[in-house]
């Protein structure tokens, strides 16, 4: 079918990976690639093409409705809508800044039918925004920059697609009319390793009718020189300035790995607390095994969302072995359901000591017990950390990171890796004089980061009540300033 004379859309030629994407019939299709690879353009054109393929109704109108979702309205306006207007200009389908933001595309076709496509632009920041979806009847939806979208949004969105136009059945229950194609599509740069996109596609059985498409990286690291080089096989190069990727190589190594080289990791937003952290330097390739003769130190963050980091300290520095991320449990339950089973399963025969916030010495008004009492009742030696001063805590972790092999994280500690790589950031706050003060932001990464700090404080300043037989060549098992 073809359109009648009228406004003309830009010519779209799909890149090789997007050709596969367009030709696939999976319910959920996800395309992952570097900056500038044409992912968003491909997803927008996919919705447009499916709108043209929709079965016409009794009035010969091909009606579809699509949600276009981004995490925040500023991102929606500055990037998603800009890309939309590049391909579908306002002269054809003006974007109306109503609530919600909408754009309606209408076009007569030579076969006598008419295409009517409604695009609804939505910002859904987190699980609390699920309610915004409850009244929508959609043909399909597009998640722009899926790594920023919460899983709760996705699982609720699946129930809203395939509902427009309304399905009609005959007396035998056979579908005679409805959405020709319901679908959920997403694009993204590589997400962090704890994100649902990673978990769904990389860690287990991929859900039925879900498919991922991976574009070539924009750059790769030369194994001989150690330098980043442009990939001549990258997609969409014909639509980019010749130095588009070259200029971005001035970014940090972690930025390049995630956004240009297509590796999983954390895309930093805000000033990172642990600025000296380097994934390639501080995360080992193999799982770190515990060393005999060295106690297991449990750094703990107490409070409503307890979290733990298990480590050992040698003459070189700390070796992070395991993590128990924050969970909404009472401390007593957290110890019995998470810490003790891990110690029993993996650390039988090692001496164990825990350290945490000195405020954990305060007795509860309900039962007169302290946080450290709960640990000791579980037969875990427990001591307050040397200080609760944020500068000292952060400085101690940085001190270990600055040493040669002084800070090593086992690759299985995914939450801690992401906290160190940029998930744990400063928020900018000002005092009464207008002076900017660096204060760590309380977010999903702050609990595990606090546990790391308390563990490192104990590892550096320790207590001489704890002893261990040093490995040959080490002067002493614990480090002191």
């Amino acid at each position: 079918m073809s359109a009648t004379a009228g406004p003309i859309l830009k010519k779209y030629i799909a890149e090789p990976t997007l050709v596969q994407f367009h030709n696939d019939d999976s319910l959920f299709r996800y395309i992952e690639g570097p900056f500038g690879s044409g992912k968003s353009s491909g997803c927008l054109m996919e919705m447009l093409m499916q709108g043209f393929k929709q079965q016409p109704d009794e009035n010969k109108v091909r009606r579809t409705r699509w949600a276009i979702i981004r995490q925040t309205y500023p991102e929606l306006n500055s990037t998603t809508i800009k890309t939309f207007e590049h391909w579908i200009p306002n002269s054809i389908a003006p974007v109306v800044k109503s609530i919600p933001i909408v754009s309606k595309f209408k076009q007569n076709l030579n076969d006598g039918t008419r295409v009517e496509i409604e695009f609804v632009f939505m910002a859904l920041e987190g699980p609390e925004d699920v309610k915004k979806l409850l009244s929508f009847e959609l043909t399909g939806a597009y998640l722009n920059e899926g790594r920023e979208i919460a899983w709760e949004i996705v699982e609720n969105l699946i129930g809203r697609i395939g509902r427009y136009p309304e399905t009609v059945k005959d007396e035998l229950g056979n579908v005679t009319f409805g959405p020709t194609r319901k679908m959920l599509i997403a694009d993204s740069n590589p997400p962090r390793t704890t994100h649902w996109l990673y978990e769904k596609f990389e860690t287990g059985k991929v859900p039925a009718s879900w498919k991922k498409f991976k574009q070539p990286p924009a750059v790769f690291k030369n194994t001989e020189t150690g330098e980043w080089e442009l990939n001549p096989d990258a997609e969409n190069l014909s639509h980019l300035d010749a130095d588009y990727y070259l200029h971005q190589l001035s970014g940090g190594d972690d930025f390049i790995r995630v956004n240009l080289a297509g590796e999983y990791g954390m895309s930093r937003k805000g000033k990172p607390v642990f600025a000296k952290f380097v994934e390639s330097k501080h995360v080992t390739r193999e799982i770190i095994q515990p060393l005999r003769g060295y106690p297991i130190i449990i750094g703990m963050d107490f409070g409503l969302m307890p979290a733990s980091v298990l480590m050992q300290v040698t003459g070189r520095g700390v070796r992070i072995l395991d993590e128990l991320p924050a969970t909404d449990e009472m401390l007593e339950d957290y110890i019995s359901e998470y810490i003790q089973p891990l110690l029993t399963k993996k650390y039988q025969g090692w001496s164990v000591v825990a350290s945490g916030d000195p405020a954990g010495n305060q007795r509860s008004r309900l039962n007169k017990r302290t946080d450290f009492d709960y640990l000791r009742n579980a037969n875990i030696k427990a001591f307050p950390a040397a200080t609760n001063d944020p500068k000292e805590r952060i400085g101690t972790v940085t001190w270990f990171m600055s040493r040669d092999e002084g800070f090593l994280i086992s690759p299985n500690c995914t939450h801690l890796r992401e906290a160190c790589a940029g998930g744990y950031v400063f928020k900018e706050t000002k005092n009464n004089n207008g002076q900017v003060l660096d204060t760590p932001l309380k977010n999903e990464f702050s609990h595990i980061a606090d546990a790391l700090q308390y563990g490192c404080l104990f590892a550096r300043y320790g207590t001489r009540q704890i002893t261990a037989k040093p490995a040959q060549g080490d002067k002493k098992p614990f480090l002191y300033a």
Side-chain angles (χ1 to χ4, degrees):
M1 71 194 74
S2 60
T4 60
I8 299 174
L9 296 172
K10 293 180 182 292
K11 185 177 182 180
Y12 171 71
I13 301 176
E15 296 292 333
T17 306
L18 280 161
V19 170
Q20 300 175 38
F21 175 83
H22 292 312
N23 289 332
D24 189 81
D25 61 359
S26 299
L27 172 66
F28 179 40
R29 287 170 289 163
Y30 165 53
I31 184 164
E32 184 178 284
F35 283 175
S37 62
K39 305 180 297 298
S40 300
S41 297
C43 288
L44 290 172
M45 296 307 292
E46 174 66 13
M47 290 183 289
L48 191 67
M49 290 187 286
Q50 294 301 331
F52 275 73
K53 294 178 182 179
Q54 168 62 35
Q55 175 188 2
D57 60 19
E58 58 185 8
N59 296 316
K60 296 185 177 181
V61 180
R62 304 174 186 270
R63 291 188 173 91
T64 55
R65 181 184 295 129
W66 308 88
I68 300 177
I69 297 169
R70 191 72 192 254
Q71 185 186 37
T72 68
Y73 274 109
E75 292 169 331
L76 196 64
N77 278 300
S78 64
T79 58
T80 310
I81 291 177
K82 293 294 184 185
T83 303
F84 179 88
E85 291 175 332
H86 171 79
W87 289 103
I88 309 175
N90 275 316
S91 60
I92 298 177
V95 175
V96 180
K97 299 296 179 68
S98 55
I99 301 177
I101 302 171
V102 297
S103 176
K104 295 183 179 180
F105 175 94
K106 298 178 181 181
Q107 187 77 47
N108 293 324
L109 303 181
N110 284 335
D111 64 357
T113 64
R114 178 176 175 83
V115 172
E116 292 188 2
I117 308 174
E118 181 180 2
F119 298 98
V120 183
F121 298 87
M122 305 180 71
L124 302 176
E125 294 196 37
E128 66 279 2
D129 288 329
V130 166
K131 60 182 180 293
K132 295 181 181 179
L133 296 170
L134 298 181
S135 61
F136 276 94
E137 308 289 326
L138 301 169
T139 309
Y142 161 42
L143 308 175
N144 184 211
E145 202 56 41
R147 66 179 176 179
E148 298 175 351
I149 305 298
W151 168 247
E152 290 82 358
I153 299 296
V154 179
E155 61 182 351
N156 280 275
L157 194 58
I158 291 173
R160 309 312 303 177
I161 63 175
R163 302 180 64 163
Y164 184 86
E166 184 179 1
T167 298
V168 178
K169 297 181 181 181
D170 61 20
E171 61 277 5
L172 298 177
N174 300 312
V175 175
T176 59
F177 179 76
T180 300
R181 174 79 184 273
K182 70 174 183 178
M183 66 182 193
L184 181 60
I185 57 177
D187 66 16
S188 187
N189 304 116
R192 60 186 190 268
T193 53
T194 54
H195 194 272
W196 61 267
L197 279 170
Y198 181 89
E199 293 174 350
K200 296 295 183 184
F201 288 106
E202 303 294 340
T203 62
K205 185 178 180 181
V206 179
S209 200
W210 283 41
K211 192 165 184 179
K212 173 184 172 181
F213 300 84
K214 180 82 169 180
Q215 291 180 298
V219 301
F220 64 91
K221 178 160 282 191
N222 187 310
T223 55
E224 294 183 359
T225 65
E227 299 294 325
W228 292 105
E229 296 184 5
L230 301 181
N231 180 12
D233 295 324
E235 296 184 346
N236 205 42
L237 293 178
S238 62
H239 294 93
L240 302 173
D241 292 338
D243 53 5
Y244 175 79
Y245 288 122
L246 188 63
H247 285 168
Q248 294 187 65
L249 290 180
S250 60
D253 206 56
D254 291 337
F255 169 87
I256 295 172
R257 288 181 183 279
V258 174
N259 298 307
L260 304 183
E263 298 181 17
Y264 292 106
M266 173 63 64
S267 180
R268 293 181 174 178
K269 283 190 174 182
K271 180 182 175 183
V273 173
F274 302 128
K276 289 188 176 296
F277 178 82
V278 178
E279 177 92 4
S280 58
K281 174 184 176 182
H282 293 121
V283 179
T284 61
R285 291 183 178 274
E286 304 294 333
I287 300 293
I288 298 178
Q289 300 300 325
L291 298 175
R292 289 292 179 183
Y294 293 88
I296 303 299
I297 299 172
I298 306 177
M300 289 199 65
D301 180 40
F302 301 128
L304 298 177
M305 298 284 287
S308 302
V309 171
L310 284 73
M311 65 180 71
Q312 289 181 309
V313 58
T314 70
R316 286 187 177 276
V318 292
R319 307 166 76 249
I320 316 297
L321 306 169
D322 269 307
E323 64 179 3
L324 291 170
T327 181
D328 187 13
E329 302 277 353
M330 297 293 291
L331 180 60
E332 187 173 20
D333 296 334
Y334 176 80
I335 293 170
S336 63
E337 295 177 16
Y338 295 92
I339 293 180
Q340 288 183 309
L342 178 60
L343 294 177
T344 300
K345 178 180 178 180
K346 192 171 178 180
Y347 299 106
Q348 284 277 17
W350 272 269
S351 59
V352 178
V353 60
S355 185
D357 187 348
N361 259 332
Q362 296 176 357
R363 293 195 300 173
S364 167
R365 293 181 178 180
L366 297 177
N367 57 21
K368 306 298 183 180
R369 298 170 70 182
T370 72
D371 293 335
F372 292 100
D373 288 336
Y374 287 113
L375 288 163
R376 292 166 186 146
N377 289 343
N379 295 317
I380 298 172
K381 295 179 181 178
F383 302 89
T387 179
N388 193 24
D389 184 343
K391 289 185 178 179
E392 290 292 340
R393 288 159 37 193
I394 295 167
T396 300
V397 176
T398 301
W399 182 79
F400 279 114
M401 287 183 176
S402 302
R403 292 169 60 87
D404 183 26
E405 296 186 13
F407 186 89
L408 298 176
I409 299 181
S410 185
N412 55 293
C413 298
T414 55
H415 290 79
L416 184 60
R417 287 168 57 188
E418 292 178 5
C420 292
Y424 185 50
V425 297
F426 287 114
K427 65 176 180 179
E428 286 196 348
T429 56
K430 295 182 179 180
N431 61 16
N432 294 333
N433 297 323
Q435 180 184 3
V436 177
L437 304 174
D438 279 338
T439 304
L441 178 68
K442 290 295 183 182
N443 61 13
E444 61 185 295
F445 302 102
S446 59
H447 301 288
I448 199 73
D450 287 347
L452 170 69
Q453 293 167 48
Y454 292 125
C456 285
L457 278 172
F458 188 83
R460 186 177 183 187
Y461 299 104
T463 170
R464 295 185 185 273
Q465 293 175 322
I466 308 301
T467 61
K469 182 180 179 181
Q472 188 173 2
D474 284 343
K475 293 183 178 180
K476 55 186 180 181
F478 286 88
L479 303 173
Y480 296 90

